[in-house]
């Protein structure tokens, strides 16, 4: 049975790419879509930036037809500004609007946005209602278990947000206090999914980093789908590997070295197309270590890649790597 968000059909068990700041931009989304992501989101976008027409925020609204279905994720602390931001975001023609109630970082949560709203459910409900009323698109939410271990209130959040019209809920299995440390706990996510009063799709997020774990947790927790974040950075093949394991119970072959080079090069080209040559090359530097993670004796090339200043320089280095028999014939790749 297909999972649906409004009229968006996501298939039987969708794998979602998480919205990650400074990561989930169009170039990164492109390579993830190529390798099996069923639905994706923009980086989270400040409502204040949108209503003030800040260039950085407006740029994040860029979406492309090949990315669909895709959601624009917004965050903020002012209810009216969030409503306005939903109207602005809707004009960019995404498939849905997502609200971030999960970001734990200090400069977001301590300014009354993101996970901070887990401390004020009434305000969260009012804000969500305003966003729902501010757009004709389906509205979804991403949040956490609660602010800390003493206030795991996501059950109340799920019920009340469903009542004001959200069409799906993604839950990260950590509290705000945990940040990204420790282990994600999916037991409360499962409890919400199994609640007969909950009829919207429930997606689980946190620590999905292998096909075996995805298959095991799919059965154990009964969620409607999974959102994958950090495990996809530099390894977009995680989506196709999980799907293959679901279908066959067997592992798909790991990407070849040539596939890693090709994905990295594609990512670079898309980065330059979207950001321009200077910024596109510079901001790609954060990705090289991840694309070639676990490859023996790669330190020298990694250093050269992160200091190269032009597309031609990077391309020459990638060509050199690709032609190096030490990598192309036999390379040790650590499991991701």
């Amino acid at each position: 049975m297909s999972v649906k968000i409004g009229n968006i059909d996501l298939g039987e068990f969708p794998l979602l790419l998480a919205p990650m700041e400074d990561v989930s931009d169009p170039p990164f989304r492109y390579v993830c879509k190529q390798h099996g992501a069923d639905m994706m989101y923009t980086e989270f976008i400040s409502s204040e930036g949108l209503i003030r027409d800040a260039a950085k925020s407006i740029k994040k609204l860029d979406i492309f037809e090949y990315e669909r279905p895709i959601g624009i994720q917004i965050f903020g602390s002012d209810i009216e500004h969030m409503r306005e931001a939903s109207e602005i975001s809707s004009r960019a023609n995404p498939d849905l609007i997502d609200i971030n109630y999960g970001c734990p970082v200090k400069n977001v949560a301590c300014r009354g946005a993101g996970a901070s709203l887990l401390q004020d459910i009434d305000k969260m409900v009012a804000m969500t209602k305003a966003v729902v009323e501010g757009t004709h698109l389906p509205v979804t939410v991403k949040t956490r278990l609660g602010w800390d271990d003493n206030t795991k209130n996501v059950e109340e959040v799920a019920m009340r947000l469903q009542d004001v019209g959200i069409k799906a809920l993604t839950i990260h299995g950590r509290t705000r206090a945990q940040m990204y440390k420790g282990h994600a706990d999916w037991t409360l996510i499962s409890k919400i999914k199994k609640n007969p009063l909950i009829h919207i799709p429930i997606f689980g997020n946190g620590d999905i980093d292998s096909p075996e774990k995805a298959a095991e947790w799919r059965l154990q927790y009964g969620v409607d789908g999974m959102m994958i974040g950090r495990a996809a950075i530099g390894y977009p093949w995680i989506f196709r590997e999980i799907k293959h394991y679901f279908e066959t119970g067997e592992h798909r072959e790991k990407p070849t070295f040539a596939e890693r080079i090709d994905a990295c090069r594609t990512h670079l080209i898309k980065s330059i197309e979207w950001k321009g040559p200077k910024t596109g090359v510079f901001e790609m530097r954060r990705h090289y270590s991840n694309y070639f993670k676990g490859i023996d004796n790669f330190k020298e090339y990694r250093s050269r890649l992160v200091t190269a200043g032009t597309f031609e320089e990077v391309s020459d280095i990638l060509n050199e790597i690709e032609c190096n028999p030490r990598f192309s014939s036999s390379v040790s790749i650590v499991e991701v």
Side-chain angles (χ1 to χ4, degrees):
M1 186 174 181
S2 290
V3 175
K4 292 185 177 181
I5 298 177
N7 293 322
I8 305 168
D9 191 331
L10 297 177
E12 182 181 351
F13 191 86
L15 300 179
L16 287 55
L17 174 65
M20 294 176 283
E21 177 69 356
D22 292 329
V23 176
S24 300
D25 57 13
F28 179 71
R29 299 197 302 261
Y30 182 88
V31 293
C32 288
K33 188 70 174 183
Q34 278 191 314
H35 295 289
D38 293 306
M39 183 168 148
M40 305 184 294
Y41 301 82
T42 63
E43 302 171 77
F44 72 168
I45 307 175
S46 164
S47 59
E48 301 299 322
L50 288 178
I51 65 175
R52 293 172 185 169
D53 205 27
K56 184 177 180 181
S57 297
I58 296 300
K59 181 69 172 174
K60 289 182 180 180
L61 292 175
D62 287 355
I63 57 176
F64 301 89
E65 284 303 310
Y66 62 77
E67 298 183 286
R68 297 191 185 278
I70 185 166
I72 289 176
Q73 189 186 72
I74 58 176
F75 75 98
S77 61
D78 184 278
I79 293 174
E80 178 58 23
H81 290 178
M82 284 289 283
R83 185 193 64 76
E84 291 181 45
S86 72
E87 294 178 352
I88 296 168
S89 299
S90 298
R91 292 198 287 269
N93 197 30
D95 296 287
L96 59 85
I97 303 295
D98 189 75
I99 309 173
N100 183 309
Y101 292 138
C103 181
V105 299
K106 186 175 181 179
N107 66 352
V108 173
C110 292
R111 294 180 180 178
S116 175
L117 276 300
L118 286 163
Q119 300 177 102
D120 189 345
I121 306 303
D122 288 343
K123 182 177 179 180
M124 180 192 285
V125 171
M127 182 177 289
T128 305
K129 186 174 185 292
V131 170
V132 169
E133 293 174 350
T135 179
H136 64 285
L137 298 168
V139 173
T140 62
V141 163
K142 184 169 188 279
T143 190
R144 289 184 169 231
L145 301 180
W147 182 256
D148 56 29
D149 284 341
N150 297 318
T151 56
K152 290 184 178 180
N153 50 10
V154 71
E155 288 183 89
E156 179 186 354
V157 167
M159 291 294 298
R160 295 184 65 183
L161 297 192
Q162 177 180 260
D163 289 345
V164 294
I166 70 166
K167 302 303 182 184
L169 177 66
T170 300
I171 305 169
H172 183 105
R174 289 180 173 87
T175 63
R176 188 272 171 177
Q178 284 182 270
M179 301 294 286
Y180 297 100
K181 298 177 182 178
H183 298 289
D185 179 3
W186 284 45
T187 54
L188 194 50
I189 303 174
S190 180
K191 184 178 179 182
I192 292 168
K193 172 56 194 172
K194 294 173 182 176
N195 185 334
L197 298 178
I198 296 291
H199 52 77
I200 58 174
I202 301 296
F203 303 121
N205 174 230
D207 293 354
I208 295 297
D209 55 11
S210 71
E212 298 97 327
K213 186 180 288 185
E216 178 185 349
W217 287 13
R218 178 182 182 181
L219 291 175
Q220 183 176 352
Y221 298 114
V223 292
D224 294 294
M226 293 176 171
M227 179 178 281
I228 298 170
R230 287 175 290 173
I233 300 175
Y235 202 81
W237 304 276
I238 186 72
F239 298 100
R240 75 178 190 186
E241 290 181 4
I242 290 174
K243 289 181 175 182
H244 183 79
Y245 196 83
F246 284 168
E247 293 170 3
T248 67
E250 299 177 353
H251 286 283
R252 178 169 177 156
E253 289 186 5
K254 293 290 180 181
T256 64
F257 194 70
E259 285 182 292
R260 287 176 178 250
I261 292 284
D262 183 63
C264 183
R265 184 181 284 116
T266 298
H267 194 162
L268 172 64
I269 291 169
K270 290 295 181 181
S271 182
I272 291 170
E273 287 177 355
W274 188 59
K275 303 173 184 179
K278 184 176 180 179
T279 303
V281 170
F282 178 78
E283 294 193 356
M284 187 65 192
R285 291 175 177 177
R286 65 173 69 109
H287 294 284
Y288 296 128
S289 292
N290 292 302
Y291 273 114
F292 300 107
K293 181 180 179 181
I295 296 178
D296 294 336
N297 305 312
F298 199 77
K299 185 176 180 180
E300 175 192 346
Y301 283 115
R302 186 179 295 112
S303 297
R304 290 172 61 190
L305 285 168
V306 299
T307 55
T310 66
F311 169 76
E312 289 75 19
E313 287 181 73
V314 177
S315 186
D316 287 345
I317 295 169
L318 292 176
N319 289 336
E320 182 181 336
I321 296 168
E322 193 168 22
C323 294
N324 189 327
R326 178 157 53 97
F327 298 124
S328 59
S329 59
S330 177
V331 58
S332 173
I333 298 178
V334 175
E335 295 287 326
V336 176

